[in-house]
Amino acid sequence: MTTEPKNVSVDARPKRQATVKHIASRKGGTPLVCLTAYITPMAARLDEHCDLLLVGDSVGMVLYGMDSTLGVSLDMMISHGRAVCRGAKRALVVIDMPFGSYEESKEQAFRNAARVLSETGAGAVKLEGGTEMIETVKFLADRGIPVLGHVGLMPQSVHTNGGYGARGRTVDEWQPIIDDAKAIAEAGAFAVVLEGVAEPLARKVTEEVPIPVIGIGASNACDGQILVTEDMLGLFAINPKFVKRYAELGDGIANAIENYAAEVRTRAFPSEEYTYKMRGANQ
Ligand code: KIV
């Protein structure tokens, strides 16, 4: 039997722009719809359907061709954050704290997170890390900076954690991830991203943590889902197992460019329709 997702319109979003409170209140309810965005026109399109837009540091890989997220700077995040905020009217905009901008001390984290919020207009920041980030998350949350946590597979720790493989595929790997998610919740995060873990672990974390758990490669047991938009639209070459491609826009672009190139070379473009005439000339 095929299902028609477009008919399942359980829109639990508020009429005005979502706040962290709206997101937090969705624990155990209609799953949160979240996607990444880096530029205004894409944000404006996603905004109609999403609860949360993340300006992810994946921008470094997706838009700048970097081979990891480690080279992304705070200025890049602020610049893309501003662009996304211009396009988002209803979704909560969350901006990733890039590698090196928050790990040194809670004061460093506050200084940079305050810049992110004040210079972009976003509603929250996201940072990676578990138990080691308790103090920082609490420091930010107590001082007016809402934090979205990120545990499980943490791309900024690719060098220490040995690659991008899924976590928690054996039970002995579970406890540190459960502890991380709980620690971030207790420290005051309003929600947490859980990346790249096996389904039973995702289920357990979602059951045991009192804030919404937003999964990416973490099964449908979570309180919501996030994907990198370019991945699910078929615009990015790498295609991990957990990404469902809802479109093949990469192929569409390739076809369009091929046609354009052929028409330019044969002078078929620009045809009369696309050509200015002298004023007063017919048409
Ligand atoms: O940077 C990013 O896009 C992310 C998501 C994959 C959760 O952190």
Side-chain angles (χ1 to χ4, degrees), residues 202-248:
R203 188 171 296 283
K204 193 164 172 58
V205 170
T206 306
E207 279 166 8
E208 296 200 1
V209 169
I211 55 176
V213 175
I214 300 171
I216 173 163
S219 84
N220 66 2
C222 301
D223 299 300
Q225 298 294 326
I226 186 161
L227 284 175
V228 170
T229 302
E230 282 73 2
D231 284 348
M232 57 92 85
L233 293 181
L235 282 168
F236 195 55
I238 301 165
N239 194 23
K241 174 183 171 61
F242 60 84
V243 174
K244 176 174 177 182
R245 288 196 183 208
Y246 286 81
E248 290 296 345

Side-chain angles (χ1 to χ4, degrees), residues 39-88:
I39 56 172
T40 308
M42 184 67 91
R45 287 206 175 260
L46 305 182
D47 187 56
E48 202 184 320
H49 305 284
C50 291
D51 296 293
L52 183 152
L53 295 182
L54 173 69
V55 186
D57 59 357
S58 51
V59 68
M61 299 172 80
V62 176
L63 292 196
Y64 291 85
M66 296 175 176
D67 57 11
S68 78
T69 57
L70 303 186
V72 174
S73 69
L74 194 65
D75 285 341
M76 286 165 73
M77 296 311 302
I78 289 174
S79 177
H80 285 283
R82 256 192 221 132
V84 168
C85 285
R86 284 184 202 117

Side-chain angles (χ1 to χ4, degrees), residues 10-283:
V10 188
D11 189 352
R13 295 175 308 158
K15 290 281 172 273
R16 54 200 169 78
Q17 187 147 30
T19 64
V20 295
K21 280 199 174 163
H22 293 124
I23 302 295
S25 73
R26 298 275 294 279
K27 177 72 190 175
T30 304
L32 289 157
V33 179
C34 316
L35 283 169
T36 59
Y38 316 123
I39 56 172
T40 308
M42 184 67 91
R45 287 206 175 260
L46 305 182
D47 187 56
E48 202 184 320
H49 305 284
C50 291
D51 296 293
L52 183 152
L53 295 182
L54 173 69
V55 186
D57 59 357
S58 51
V59 68
M61 299 172 80
V62 176
L63 292 196
Y64 291 85
M66 296 175 176
D67 57 11
S68 78
T69 57
L70 303 186
V72 174
S73 69
L74 194 65
D75 285 341
M76 286 165 73
M77 296 311 302
I78 289 174
S79 177
H80 285 283
R82 256 192 221 132
V84 168
C85 285
R86 284 184 202 117
K89 302 287 173 260
R90 286 185 70 185
L92 174 72
V93 178
V94 180
I95 301 185
D96 250 341
M97 297 297 291
F99 179 66
S101 70
Y102 64 95
E103 301 90 333
E104 200 177 311
S105 66
K106 53 192 194 307
E107 290 81 8
Q108 181 212 24
F110 180 81
R111 203 166 43 248
N112 287 329
R115 252 196 85 192
V116 167
L117 292 199
S118 66
E119 293 182 29
T120 63
V125 298
K126 174 164 86 59
L127 54 82
E128 295 183 10
T131 51
E132 75 284 9
M133 281 295 148
I134 293 176
E135 252 198 277
T136 299
V137 173
K138 189 166 168 20
F139 194 79
L140 298 186
D142 287 349
R143 285 161 181 76
I145 299 189
V147 178
L148 173 61
H150 184 150
V151 301
L153 195 170
M154 293 180 269
Q156 291 178 10
S157 303
V158 59
H159 294 312
T160 42
N161 289 344
Y164 296 103
R167 310 289 194 257
R169 299 185 84 176
T170 55
V171 176
D172 57 299
E173 288 181 18
W174 282 22
Q175 203 53 51
I177 296 174
I178 296 168
D179 291 346
D180 279 347
K182 283 185 172 169
I184 290 302
E186 271 163 38
F190 68 92
V192 62
V193 169
L194 178 63
E195 178 164 355
V197 303
E199 190 267 349
L201 172 58
R203 188 171 296 283
K204 193 164 172 58
V205 170
T206 306
E207 279 166 8
E208 296 200 1
V209 169
I211 55 176
V213 175
I214 300 171
I216 173 163
S219 84
N220 66 2
C222 301
D223 299 300
Q225 298 294 326
I226 186 161
L227 284 175
V228 170
T229 302
E230 282 73 2
D231 284 348
M232 57 92 85
L233 293 181
L235 282 168
F236 195 55
I238 301 165
N239 194 23
K241 174 183 171 61
F242 60 84
V243 174
K244 176 174 177 182
R245 288 196 183 208
Y246 286 81
E248 290 296 345
L249 299 192
D251 293 346
I253 289 174
N255 287 340
I257 305 308
E258 192 182 337
N259 288 340
Y260 170 73
E263 291 196 1
V264 168
R265 289 187 186 116
T266 57
R267 298 187 190 277
F269 177 83
S271 57
E272 284 213 358
E273 188 187 350
Y274 303 99
T275 304
Y276 289 112
K277 304 283 184 304
M278 292 294 287
R279 283 193 211 285
N282 277 348
Q283 298 175 36

